[in-house]
Amino acid sequence: MSLAAFALGAVALWVVERRLHGLRVARAAYVSACGLAVGGVLLLSAAPGVPLASLGVLLMEGIGWPVTRAVGAIWANGRATREVRATVQSFLAQMEYAGEMVCGLAIAGLAGSSSLEAALLGAAGLVALAGLLALRSLGVRRA
């Protein structure tokens, strides 16, 4: 499964890289990848069997996560000035790791107090929120 997700991610990144010209395209790629990741998590949460659950994992691990991570870095590079680009990338990585820890604990608590399906729905909601925030960011100008 991991090898298939890795191969799918490589293909997805290759496709995105060939079309990534400008911040509008980066935003669209990010939002689309969030949508695919949400679809994958929802499919995983509701899958009646292993084949559909595997498809959900491939959508989120093979396309959603790699594309959002790469496009997020590219998007930050395009919006930051040369003088602060390294600082912005460092901050982006720190926020990503902090979010994974805090939200991971919250999702684990949700799974422990209710069900795995509820935890997966919570995770899907967080990814959907990230996509909506990215969608909304078009009007924000860099300083």
Side-chain angles (χ1 to χ4, degrees), residues 28-114:
Y30 191 92
V31 171
S32 297
C34 283
L36 286 171
V38 167
V41 174
L42 292 176
L43 187 58
L44 180 61
S45 73
V50 173
L52 285 178
S54 297
L55 179 60
V57 169
L58 286 175
L59 281 174
M60 61 184 190
E61 289 289 331
I63 299 173
W65 301 160
V67 172
T68 55
R69 181 169 284 145
V71 171
I74 292 166
W75 195 358
N77 278 341
R79 295 181 65 102
T81 62
R82 187 180 74 221
E83 295 82 14
V84 298
R85 189 165 290 136
T87 303
V88 169
Q89 287 297 335
S90 176
F91 183 70
L92 178 65
Q94 290 172 21
M95 290 300 98
E96 181 180 344
Y97 302 142
E100 287 174 357
M101 288 185 283
V102 171
C103 293
L105 288 173
I107 290 170
L110 185 58
S113 66
S114 59

